[in-house]
Amino acid sequence: MPVPFRLGAKLSIHLAEDTVLLRGLHADERGTAVLRGEVTLDNSKSMAVSSVHLQLIGKAATLWPGGLNTGRITRYSYEKKVYEQQITLLDTSSSKSNSADDGKTTEGVQFAAGVHKWPFECILPNNLVETIEDDTGKVFYTLTATLHKAKKSGAGLGKKLTSRRNILVLRTPSDLDLANNSLPSTSIVTERHNEAVDAVLVVEKTAASSGTAFPIDITLMPHMKNVYLESLSALLIERRVYRLPEFDTQRGDSFSFRMPLQTIIDQNNRDAPVDPRIRRAAFTKNAHVPLAGDPFQFRFQFALPNCLDLSHSTTFPEIDIQHFLKLSLTFDTPAGMATMHLESNVTVLDCRLKQDYTSLPTYEASLATPAQDAAAAAEEEDPSYFYVCPCYLAYKKKGEISKKEWLSMRGNKRSSQSLFDDAQLHAASTSASSSAFTTPDLPPPPSYDDLSFKT
């Protein structure tokens, strides 16, 4: 068997997992996370080493299209350090060894040719800021290993080897968030009333990953004849606030996304076909669905926007991203038009938490979803079913773009779209602030054939 040829020395970082999971939807929840791995030195000849250090740094970077007046110059971006931890894996400053090459004394420990490993373990607090990849702000973490070669007596500083890895930090609900009855419910059950109709609205979950299903149960009970459901819409509002305490400044953006409707299930008779007018109510303003005869009890399964348009909710006050659900029902009654609204906070999790965050469905929910539902079957067979564009997710999420490309991409302003576009199902967004500069478009994302996903 041929022996691979090695020249020089190589330093690398190997991690048990390159993703850190913080438990709890609030940063003040107690707990810790652990990042484990080892630093490996692969050298082809004997080497004297004086020290090996490991450094974990988290940074926050924001773009300011309107500019930041920092005194002499106007800055359009700002970067700051939000976390730092240093670990010493080897320190031989007081040790001396004889070099095999010329017999001179060196400060350090001699390592023979071969592979040498230093295991490490980083304890991370639960109030760590999670990774953020927003249009105009992000938080990222890098783990850097540095090996200093020992210097010969009378010489200057020794040379060094470095290796760096990106670390992904995600925040997911804790077990208490899912099971503790003393905490707020993970679902919303509310009633709305007017003179013509009563409504019971059930939002099954208030925390979900972007790009996944978001079911809402609607029950309508009219009090009089000639009552019609004209339209229903489910909007997800994303509000972003960027703050810089150093300069006592902040700005905000707001975007609205119309959630596309995937399926409708009649909870009175799951095998019965659904009246086309009910589906039309989600896309038009005059569906004219009569509320008579059997009770109106339907499950509307919407889909949250994917991460290409939507940022996940954050706990970092300087990049504060919050989400709100706005459900609207419009009725035609003998007394005229009437409207019901439901507005509530929801938590949008990172799309990469789709497999990590799972909550047990309710008994009613399990009965309401037929076993032969194509969407459910597809999701069971393919975990990435709801990922609308996996190629671009890999392109964007895995850090395959440089900082310059990231700045250019974030400079592109989203175009405004109508919130009630009956012919389109894509999300509509409106921004409260305008961009002060334009940049050229990025090249298209790589094709599926060019991608190599890790297993």
Side-chain angles (χ1 to χ4, degrees), residues 319-354:
I319 305 178
D320 189 7
I321 304 177
Q322 305 297 328
H323 296 89
F324 306 89
L325 171 67
K326 184 177 181 180
L327 181 66
S328 299
L329 302 173
T330 304
F331 304 94
D332 184 6
T333 69
M337 303 299 292
T339 304
M340 291 182 178
H341 297 286
L342 169 64
E343 296 187 13
S344 176
N345 292 18
V346 295
T347 301
V348 176
L349 305 173
D350 192 287
C351 66
R352 290 161 289 198
L353 288 171
K354 180 176 183 293

Side-chain angles (χ1 to χ4, degrees), residues 171-421:
R171 184 170 295 278
T172 183
S174 64
D175 295 337
L176 289 178
D177 292 329
L178 299 177
N180 194 338
N181 293 329
S182 63
L183 297 177
S185 175
T186 57
S187 61
I188 300 175
V189 180
T190 185
E191 297 181 359
R192 294 292 185 269
H193 308 278
N194 61 28
E195 296 181 354
V197 62
D198 291 339
V200 178
L201 309 176
V202 180
V203 180
E204 184 177 299
K205 52 187 177 181
T206 57
S209 299
S210 57
T212 59
F214 196 83
I216 300 177
D217 295 340
I218 299 178
T219 301
L220 302 177
M221 296 163 286
H223 300 315
M224 58 182 68
K225 296 180 180 180
N226 301 323
V227 177
Y228 300 90
L229 174 65
E230 296 295 345
S231 67
L232 68 90
S233 65
L235 298 180
L236 187 68
I237 311 298
E238 181 176 88
R239 296 177 186 172
R240 310 174 185 174
V241 179
Y242 307 91
R243 302 181 178 93
L244 273 184
E246 296 88 344
F247 303 103
D248 192 23
T249 184
Q250 70 176 38
R251 65 179 179 87
D253 295 330
S254 180
F255 300 93
S256 297
F257 302 92
R258 187 173 187 179
M259 296 192 295
L261 179 63
Q262 290 184 328
T263 59
I264 302 176
I265 300 172
D266 187 349
Q267 300 199 38
N268 293 317
N269 187 355
R270 298 193 301 272
D271 298 328
V274 177
D275 189 339
R277 290 176 296 181
I278 298 177
R279 177 175 293 274
R280 191 161 58 242
F283 308 121
T284 64
K285 298 181 181 180
N286 54 352
H288 214 60
V289 179
L291 300 180
D294 295 334
F296 185 98
Q297 292 181 326
F298 288 88
R299 161 168 288 223
F300 295 84
Q301 183 161 290
F302 296 93
L304 289 176
N306 61 70
C307 65
L308 302 183
D309 298 315
L310 193 68
S311 300
H312 63 79
S313 304
T314 67
T315 60
F316 187 39
E318 297 184 22
I319 305 178
D320 189 7
I321 304 177
Q322 305 297 328
H323 296 89
F324 306 89
L325 171 67
K326 184 177 181 180
L327 181 66
S328 299
L329 302 173
T330 304
F331 304 94
D332 184 6
T333 69
M337 303 299 292
T339 304
M340 291 182 178
H341 297 286
L342 169 64
E343 296 187 13
S344 176
N345 292 18
V346 295
T347 301
V348 176
L349 305 173
D350 192 287
C351 66
R352 290 161 289 198
L353 288 171
K354 180 176 183 293
Q355 296 300 316
D356 180 76
Y357 171 62
T358 56
S359 58
L360 295 176
T362 61
Y363 178 75
E364 293 80 3
S366 62
L367 291 180
T369 305
Q372 66 270 19
D373 182 45
E379 183 183 7
E380 289 294 330
E381 295 176 3
D382 183 6
S384 63
Y385 172 74
F386 280 109
Y387 293 168
V388 178
C389 187
C391 65
Y392 193 80
L393 283 177
Y395 175 70
K396 177 182 177 184
K397 297 287 189 180
K398 295 300 181 182
E400 297 176 0
I401 59 177
S402 65
K403 181 177 180 180
K404 181 178 180 181
E405 291 172 328
W406 178 78
L407 292 173
S408 299
M409 181 171 64
R410 297 311 191 267
N412 294 327
K413 180 184 176 183
R414 302 182 187 185
S415 60
S416 300
Q417 300 172 352
S418 171
L419 293 179
F420 297 98
D421 186 358

Side-chain angles (χ1 to χ4, degrees), residues 30-43:
R30 296 182 178 180
T32 57
V34 181
L35 178 65
R36 298 184 178 90
E38 59 186 16
V39 176
T40 302
L41 171 64
D42 188 357
N43 54 322

Side-chain angles (χ1 to χ4, degrees), residues 437-451:
F437 56 93
T438 58
T439 56
D441 294 335
L442 282 178
S447 64
Y448 290 94
D449 298 332
D450 296 335
L451 292 173

